[in-house]
Amino acid sequence: MKKILVSAIIAGGAISGASAQSAVDAYNLSQSDLRGTARFMSMGGAFTALGGDLSTLSQNPAGIGVYRKSEVGITVDFNMTNSKVATSAGDFKENHTHVYCNNFGYIGSIDLGRSSTLRTFNWGASYNRVASFDRTFHIGEGSGSNYYGPSISSSLSNYIASFTDYSPGELNAYQNNYNPYQDSDADWLSILAYNSYMINPNSSNGYNGLWRQGQSSGDMGAWVRERGQIDEYNLDFGGNVLDVVYWGVGFGITSLNYTQEADYDEKIYDARIPNQAATGTEVGDAYFNLMNNKRITGTGFNFKLGVIVKPINELRLGFALHTPTYYNLSQNFDAGTNFDYSSGYDNMNEYTDYGYFDWKLRSPWRMMFGIAGVIGGQGIISVDYERDAYDNMKISDRGINYNYGPENQDIKNYYQGSNTLRVGAEYRVTPSFSLRAGYSYVTSNVKTEAENGSTEIYTSGTNPAYVLNKDTQYITLGVGYRYKAFYADAAYVYKTRKSTYHAFTDYEGVKAPSFDLTDNNNNIVVSVGLKF
């Protein structure tokens, strides 16, 4: 059954029975991406053992110790996205183009002399876009009688009915001096569904949804638009010990902004609908649309430390550890319905109150190992392994211990650590011109039990839909040009990510609508800068 999280501490208000923060939110907000300078991205991000690039301030801070000169640079990213949902009614595609500033920064270097154990001391400050949430996808086409979408064998309304255990009097929004969203502990999705006639009381003191098992038929549609990003501002310090050990420590401040607009609709024939007087039900046709809006904003901080060891000139070994990012977040949401039943409820609307609350998130810690070889002074081959502990995420209400709350057990039930392999290569064709290539593979961080529906998934607010990611791959190419202090780099990055969209969780042996979602990104990245 859907969990009712009544413990949320609300800033300036109360949401009572609205489901507060969830493991799904923690998961969505903890994703990272392959982003940085063009050189970094063109080599698949395999820089844990290399350093000497502005992106290392957000990856392995020991990379700052490799610098012998100061540097300033900026990176622009042209991103073309394509999302495709595969269904029985066909494939539904969305294409969008975005332009980002991926990275800019400055590194200063002090030469302490060859006689000193600490040969150089360096510092740097940078901005880096850690992740972009920009994505739009849809299921179904058209409108009204010309609408078509994949067929369904169950209804969201029946899922809501299955967990609704409040009396009609607690859910009814049309009573004097009573607001169920504020004056009861009822789940907000139950309140909205009751007042939209998506669920109706039955003789067993429970509720029925619109779907009549074995008798109803219908189809569904959905539209989801996500926007936002995680930006990180880094301050790093590092140095060079005897040209053998390079060390670095870093402090990061993150800014998070995430918005989601989501529509879900069903058209059901031979449905169980309210009669004209709303005193019972009859058989007829039903249509409803559930509209959700969500926004999460906040800031966080983290620490990084790393080391690069160069035992011989041709070999480098790297290690970096990132603490979790500790976020303070504010979340708000609202929802509404549009519904139409053949018994006479024509094009009607209902809306929730405006909900908001504050919460805390501890993102996964990250650990990286790298090895790089220099070949003949002209070539570089680098390999990285990274472990991200998604099963170690923690969430809580503001002011409450991270060990509090059922959501942290949900994290253990849904997610596992992920593994990332990165491979990069660079070949200097001339002293001024270089060619680069890379590849990165990220394993799924979702447990099989969550993916196949054997574990119920609980979401926040009034949107029961969620997306679970599978594996992600990057294929990268690039070129670089150097002329005296000036450099210019360009990269092409192809990213493909497999996911599954779930309209709501499977429950009591009932399979919810779910579809394969594929995101393909084509990035053209350009960096320019000076080393002096």
Side-chain angles (χ1 to χ4, degrees), residues 28-270:
N28 288 336
L29 301 178
S30 296
Q31 306 293 306
S32 59
D33 204 354
L34 177 59
R35 291 187 177 275
T37 67
R39 183 177 182 231
F40 177 86
M41 295 179 70
S42 68
M43 295 176 66
F47 267 73
T48 300
L50 287 178
D53 187 273
L54 286 171
S55 296
T56 62
L57 274 69
S58 59
Q59 188 193 50
N60 183 359
I64 196 174
V66 176
Y67 276 87
R68 297 183 182 275
K69 294 181 178 182
S70 298
E71 178 179 348
V72 62
I74 188 170
T75 299
V76 178
D77 184 345
F78 301 88
N79 186 300
M80 293 148 282
T81 66
N82 169 270
S83 296
K84 181 182 75 173
V85 183
T87 79
S88 59
D91 295 345
F92 301 98
K93 299 179 181 180
E94 289 270 0
N95 297 289
H96 296 275
T97 300
H98 307 277
V99 180
Y100 308 111
C101 177
N102 261 7
N103 175 280
F104 62 82
Y106 167 80
I107 290 175
S109 180
I110 300 177
D111 188 346
L112 299 177
R114 306 302 296 172
S115 62
S116 173
T117 301
L118 183 64
R119 300 288 169 82
T120 60
F121 179 76
N122 303 331
W123 70 94
S126 72
Y127 157 84
N128 205 64
R129 175 144 298 180
V130 177
S132 171
F133 298 120
D134 291 347
R135 173 171 62 180
T136 303
F137 61 91
H138 74 280
I139 302 168
E141 298 282 6
S143 62
S145 60
N146 295 319
Y147 177 86
Y148 73 93
S151 60
I152 53 176
S153 58
S154 61
S155 169
L156 171 61
S157 64
N158 291 59
Y159 166 61
I160 300 171
S162 73
F163 65 75
T164 301
D165 56 0
Y166 303 93
S167 69
E170 291 177 278
L171 301 177
N172 189 351
Y174 292 90
Q175 305 176 65
N176 291 332
N177 301 316
Y178 178 74
N179 180 349
Y181 294 106
Q182 304 298 335
D183 299 333
S184 77
D185 289 333
D187 187 278
W188 282 26
L189 190 54
S190 295
I191 299 170
L192 183 62
Y194 176 82
N195 290 285
S196 304
Y197 301 105
M198 292 163 57
I199 61 174
N200 296 280
N202 59 32
S203 58
S204 302
N205 296 319
Y207 295 87
N208 290 323
L210 300 170
W211 191 268
R212 300 163 65 227
Q213 191 62 38
Q215 300 177 73
S216 295
S217 62
D219 51 33
M220 59 77 66
W223 175 82
V224 177
R225 182 170 69 179
E226 297 172 296
R227 292 290 184 269
Q229 67 284 325
I230 300 175
D231 293 328
E232 185 173 59
Y233 303 87
N234 297 284
L235 180 63
D236 288 34
F237 300 93
N240 167 2
V241 179
L242 298 174
D243 293 328
V244 175
V245 177
Y246 306 88
W247 61 272
V249 295
F251 173 67
I253 297 176
T254 57
S255 172
L256 184 151
N257 181 23
Y258 173 81
T259 61
Q260 182 193 72
E261 301 170 73
D263 284 5
Y264 174 82
D265 59 289
E266 292 180 0
K267 183 165 59 176
I268 306 174
Y269 306 100
D270 295 321

Side-chain angles (χ1 to χ4, degrees), residues 455-492:
T455 297
E456 288 190 56
I457 307 295
Y458 306 110
T459 60
S460 67
T462 51
N463 185 6
Y466 56 94
V467 173
L468 298 177
N469 293 334
K470 299 180 182 178
D471 59 349
T472 304
Q473 296 184 71
Y474 301 85
I475 299 173
T476 66
L477 297 170
V479 295
Y481 175 75
R482 300 284 183 275
Y483 179 74
K484 296 183 178 179
F486 172 78
Y487 68 84
D489 298 314
Y492 167 74

